[in-house]
Amino acid sequence: MAQRILALAAEESPERLREALQSLGERELGDMVTRQALKGSETAALLRGIFKGSPCSQQSGVLRRLQVYKHCIPLVESGDLHLGKASEIIGLLMLEARQLPGHALAELATLFVDVIKGGSLSNGKSLELFATVLTALPNSKESLVYGKGELNGEEFKKQLINTLCCSKWDPQSVIHLTNMFRDIPLSGEELQFVVEKVLRMFSKLDLQEIPPLVYQLLLLSAKGSKKTVLEGIISFFNQLDKRQKEEQRVPQSVDLEVATVPLDQLRHVEGTVILHIVSVINLDQDLSEELIRHLKTEQQKDPARALCPFSVALLLSVAVKHRLQEQIFDFLKTSITRSCKDLQFLQASKFLQDLFPQQYDVTTVILEVVKNSAFGWDHVTQGLVDLGFSLMESYEPRKPFGGKAADTTYGLSKMPAQQACRLGASILLEAFKVHEPIRSDILEQVLNRVLTKAASPVSHFIDLLSNIVVSAPLVLQTSSSKVTETFDNLSFLPIDTVQGLLRAVQPLLKVSMSVRDSLILVLQKAIFSRQLDARKAAVAGFLLLLRNFKVLGSLSSSQCSQAIGATQVQADVHACYNSAANEAFCLEILGSLRRCLSQQADVRLMLYEGFYDVLRRNSQLASSIMETLLSQIKQYYLPQPDLLPPLKLEGCIMAQGDQIFLQEPLAHLLCCIQHCLAWYKSTVHLCQGAEDDEEEEEDVGFEQSFEEMLESVTRRMIKSELEDFELDKSADFSLSSGVGVKNNIYAIQVMGICEVLIEYNFNIGNFSKNKFEDVLGLFTCYNKLSEILKEKAGKNKSTLGNKTTRSFLSMGFVSTLLTALFRDNAQSHEESLAVLRSSTEFLRYAVSVALQKVQQLEETGQTDGPDGQNPEKMFQNLCKITRVLLWRYTSIPTVVEESGKKKGKSISLLCLEGLLRIFNMVQQLYAARIPQFLQALDITDGDAEETDINVTEKAAFQIRQFQRSLVNQFSNAEDDFNSKETQSLIIVLSTLSKLLDPASQQFLQFLTWTVKICKENALEDIACCKGLLSLLFSLHVLYKSPVSLLRELAQDIHACLGDIDQDIEVESQSHFAIVNAKTAAPTVCLLVLGQADKVLEEVDWLIKKLTSLGSDTSDSSQASNQTQALEKGVILQLGTLLTVYHELVQTALPAGSCVDTLLRSLSKTYAILTSLVKHYIQACRSTSNTIPARLEKLVKLSGSHLTPQCYSFITYVQNIHSESLSFAEEKKKKKKEDEAAAVSTVMAKVLRETKPIPNLIFAIEQYEKFLIHLSKKSKVNLMQYMKLSTSRDFRINASMLDSALQEHNTEDAENEPDNDQSSTADQTDENQEPKKKRRRKK
């Protein structure tokens, strides 16, 4: 039959063809097509023949065509046909479909919907035909039957798509269906239906099928609904990531319904999806703009949903396109700083923490992206690196590079900018560890920035470089050429940068001979440079090399100040270099350094400060170094035993024209000798039993020479008078003359030598009485000079003179000395220590040097002297010093201590000052070691285990000691009250309170105690009052909102200062005794207003959050619950604040800062009330919600308790200002010329202080304007609570007017009727005028 039809079709005889086809039944026709298709020959020709004999003009033809379509669709989907054959059939059917009438198309479309519902699509080939049918449907002019009604083609198509999207789809056909919809013209609504359906199907698909589906969906988004597509994809992967995290946290998940997705599979799928999105963005630029727009909007509402690891990775991949990089990085940087600020904001307020229990931190999200990028996300890495550098450059430290202090502070007390900079460094370090291909790129960029940014601080880049080298020193061998290029520029860099850079690359010098050799070449050139900085750089480099290349046989350095770095390098370095080579190498460097001993003082200084560390790390160089030092000191030492002074000071200075310079820092040289000798005696000497005698004799030779020399210098220094050094009270110390400069240099050198000898004699003295008498003798010489310098500096008022000279005592010695002076109870030491303890001046000196060392540690992160750069040793010494100062202060109160007639602070006060500095610094510099620090202070269990130290308990114990001291201060008689000490105590308490956990019982006890102190002590000292109230507020905000506390304080201020209406007597209900006539204004008033402003900031922040939550269209009960909680919090805070202002605006505040601040604060309050009203206007617009009763109460309160009082307060302020003006005018009349300037000053002051009044009035009127809007929207009359505002252009005080009229009447009784008329006429005129003005204003 098939052959016959083919023949008839070929013969061009339509009639016979029609007859032949009519003779076939439906089944026969189907079987014939199937057989022909399976045979694979002439199927298309057969179908063409059938269509030819079935014209659409006849009903039977249409039916036959439908039969063919209905049969071919399952045939194509069956999978029995060859793919090419199936395509051929579908192609022909698509061509013919457009000729079908509307009802046939509708029937065909319904058939397709049923096939899809039934899930019988296998390869989705027939969907191309469905697309053609749906495209052709809208063109149908006839009405189509749908259910019981009739629809036109367009509506029928819409209804079909709706039905299709509501029905169940087979997961296997989702991709085919999505692809199909790309070929169909869809309206916006239809497209939205389709996109939402596909997004819903994501969760039902296998993870591997998601990327191709995403790609199809993105191509579909070219038609529209871009936002929905992007939002759906990001949200889906965000949920998957969250679930993955949850499962990692709880490995044995109870909910076993959801099969766990393998982590690597999820990451690979995410990476592929990101690649697909980026490739589509390359084709469709609008998609990238939509992505950024969507994330910006989302970030306002819910940052956690907007910036999740997936969306950040996506943004960074898109950022590689330079057109968008700046926009994306700006958005990410803003988000990072905003997140840091929000976290800071939340951590500072318990009220906000209760409302937002889950805190979102974008920094952890970005670091998670770095971790995820290890799963082959190469397209993200470039964006990560660029972001890291962008953050480090945008938020680099502003402080000059000075050791570690600028960067090693931890915790959230930091500024958001510093956190962002640290995040940039973390991104780069983690990316360096994870991605091998980009390592050389990161290293090169870091080194380039260290070189090119020499003028600005580069400490953050050097720290990053150091961490990179430590994480993988061997990796750097491949990039060693970049490091050697950097060395070529060393001589042009600042000395701090050079030292940091060399310390950072030091592990590389251990493993790469070529790098070391190129460094030595550069340093040897630099030593002969004309630039002083270059020579200093050379010395720093050589000292570093000497420290790190041990000569074999050197002692192992247990007290090594800097670990070599990573484990890769800790193999024995002698595998690379034999001991002879190392020794020759080190001696060659020493030879180069000896040349530096004839250069400027700065260069020599670096050498003297560095020799000790070299010696300690490389003990075999001891004899060379000691010989060098001996030959150097001999140039200045006078060996004759009776000659005074023992050292040639004139040889230490050099004159150039009129200027005099220090050439040899003699005190530093002596200091270096003293430390090297002490180390040599304690270490090398003990280990030389096995050495041959000859070498020992040689060593003993220089050791003996040094000891005899120091002994002789000590003896002669004690005997020397100041005149022997040409220094006495009559000497000139001014820095403007050459002689004065010379005398200053001499004085500082002599004082330094005395200090060095004090440390030397104390250390070798072994608690002998004679040695301690020598120490006191040396101190007497030091003290005389010190007093003269202080006296001269006081007279000259020179800024340089006021700087205290830096002490030569080492930190370790200071801790030993203090412990001996204050805590040594050994019977055998008592007699000798009594010598030192008898001198109060010496005790005060010891404590003040400790203070100076602590200050230096705080500012630069290191101290002078041995182990000054070793954080571990510094920490141990700090603990020792703190323990002594704490014992001294708590055992001997200041009141007991007699400071006598001597000037200066008492020792107890110095101890307290030291403790204050230490407690502050430990939280900044050693935040991670606070538990060990507190443990070390606890004398009772000093030897206890370090495991599980409860910081809150230990801190509370220390707080109790200072509480006792403070209570004692308050209980002292008025004459004994020490304001300075009380202030310091309060600051110590507030510093220690930061260590308490706000949720602990100890914190609550401390807060209760602080409230009690403020309530019971009528403190009149303004500074102490300020400190105590600041402490109270800082504690209270971490416990709960301080508004009720502010209300009580405001009531006390009102009671203290009286009312603005003098006739009203304020009911005295004193809550806080600290608020009294002396402190109420301005101190307490300004503090209360400052705290109220902080609460207003919190409320403003909450209203912004509310507005963004309100604009979120997702209607979830959780969101509405959160909104209600926020609204309640905001209204309650504002309600209580209004009562605070209600008290303050009725208070007779003195003119000046209080009035000015209050007026500004009121303007801010009204602005925030307006924001809240605007929020409710928006809420009424978007939903039909009525306004809550709470808001109505708040509006009522503002109308009754604030606005009228504000107007009265404005009148009061203007009155006090007019009084001061009239007073000034009177003065002017009395003394015309002299007082003219004073009057103009008063007028300027009045103008300045009345400036906030118009702003306040404007704020009130804006508030009332928006209340009218809200009344209209909510159908609630809120203006009933608002009284008509006063006309401020013209005010009549009725009582004053009456008295003036009566006076006028008595003077001129005859014209009484006329006067009455004229006055009333004037009055009506005047009353009319302001109304006109008001109308114009509106």
Side-chain angles (χ1 to χ4, degrees), residues 1078-1281:
K1078 277 198 176 176
T1079 59
T1083 313
V1084 180
C1085 181
L1086 288 177
L1087 281 168
V1088 167
L1089 287 170
Q1091 196 59 40
D1093 273 358
K1094 285 181 185 171
V1095 176
L1096 284 174
E1097 273 176 36
E1098 288 177 9
V1099 171
D1100 192 29
W1101 187 79
L1102 282 175
I1103 292 172
K1104 282 177 187 158
K1105 287 279 175 195
L1106 261 177
T1107 311
S1108 60
L1109 279 171
S1111 62
D1112 195 349
T1113 48
S1114 59
D1115 242 4
S1116 67
S1117 59
Q1118 189 185 349
S1120 65
N1121 288 346
Q1122 191 182 8
T1123 306
Q1124 282 175 10
L1126 291 183
E1127 286 175 350
K1128 182 182 176 183
V1130 166
I1131 291 171
L1132 288 177
Q1133 290 289 86
L1134 282 173
T1136 321
L1137 268 185
L1138 290 188
T1139 59
V1140 174
Y1141 288 118
H1142 170 70
E1143 293 291 338
L1144 291 176
V1145 289
Q1146 294 180 86
T1147 307
L1149 293 170
S1153 58
C1154 285
V1155 169
D1156 191 43
T1157 313
L1158 178 56
L1159 288 169
R1160 290 178 200 280
S1161 197
L1162 283 165
S1163 300
K1164 200 183 285 184
T1165 307
Y1166 276 107
I1168 286 167
L1169 280 168
T1170 310
S1171 300
L1172 183 65
V1173 171
K1174 283 180 181 173
H1175 161 69
Y1176 279 106
I1177 292 172
Q1178 189 62 40
C1180 286
R1181 200 173 288 159
S1182 57
T1183 58
S1184 56
N1185 287 351
T1186 53
I1187 56 168
R1190 267 194 219 97
L1191 180 70
E1192 220 173 315
K1193 282 183 188 169
L1194 181 70
V1195 172
K1196 186 178 180 180
L1197 188 67
S1198 69
S1200 61
H1201 277 58
L1202 193 58
T1203 309
Q1205 285 80 354
C1206 278
Y1207 285 120
S1208 309
F1209 186 67
I1210 289 168
T1211 309
Y1212 162 77
V1213 172
Q1214 288 175 332
N1215 286 344
I1216 55 174
H1217 285 317
S1218 59
E1219 278 170 25
S1220 61
L1221 275 174
S1222 58
F1223 180 66
E1225 287 291 338
E1226 278 172 31
K1227 270 188 156 184
K1228 188 178 176 183
K1229 286 171 190 169
K1230 288 176 190 170
K1231 304 176 182 175
K1232 281 182 183 173
E1233 286 171 16
D1234 302 345
E1235 291 297 323
V1239 172
S1240 62
T1241 310
V1242 170
M1243 287 187 76
K1245 189 181 173 191
V1246 167
L1247 274 171
R1248 191 173 63 247
E1249 287 178 358
T1250 52
K1251 203 176 175 184
I1253 293 176
N1255 295 342
L1256 172 58
I1257 290 162
F1258 175 73
I1260 294 173
E1261 290 179 348
Q1262 281 293 99
Y1263 171 54
E1264 290 176 358
K1265 172 186 159 185
F1266 282 101
L1267 271 180
I1268 295 167
H1269 284 314
L1270 182 57
S1271 300
K1272 287 175 185 171
K1273 290 271 177 208
S1274 63
K1275 312 286 189 290
V1276 177
N1277 181 15
L1278 295 170
M1279 288 307 290
Q1280 64 182 329
Y1281 308 118

Side-chain angles (χ1 to χ4, degrees), residues 39 255 497 558 620 751 887 986 1138 1155 1213 1230 1261 1332:
K39 258 194 247 171
D255 182 17
T497 306
S558 57
Q620 285 297 89
M751 285 164 72
W887 177 87
I986 292 166
L1138 290 188
V1155 169
V1213 172
K1230 288 176 190 170
E1261 290 179 348
K1332 283 180 193 169

Side-chain angles (χ1 to χ4, degrees), residues 46-118:
L46 176 66
L47 287 172
R48 270 193 217 97
I50 294 170
F51 289 143
K52 199 173 181 182
S54 315
C56 289
S57 54
Q58 295 174 1
Q59 185 64 29
S60 59
V62 172
L63 284 171
R64 196 174 302 113
R65 283 189 177 224
L66 269 178
Q67 285 166 10
V68 171
Y69 273 94
K70 285 178 182 175
H71 182 76
C72 284
I73 292 166
L75 179 64
V76 169
E77 287 298 333
S78 65
D80 296 339
L81 298 184
H82 186 269
L83 203 58
K85 187 57 67 183
S87 297
E88 189 183 9
I89 293 170
I90 288 295
L92 185 62
L93 294 177
M94 284 163 69
L95 275 173
E96 295 291 334
R98 295 182 188 281
Q99 296 176 24
L100 287 170
H103 67 88
L105 287 171
E107 196 176 330
L108 206 49
T110 314
L111 169 73
F112 266 110
V113 171
D114 293 337
V115 168
I116 293 165
K117 277 185 184 176

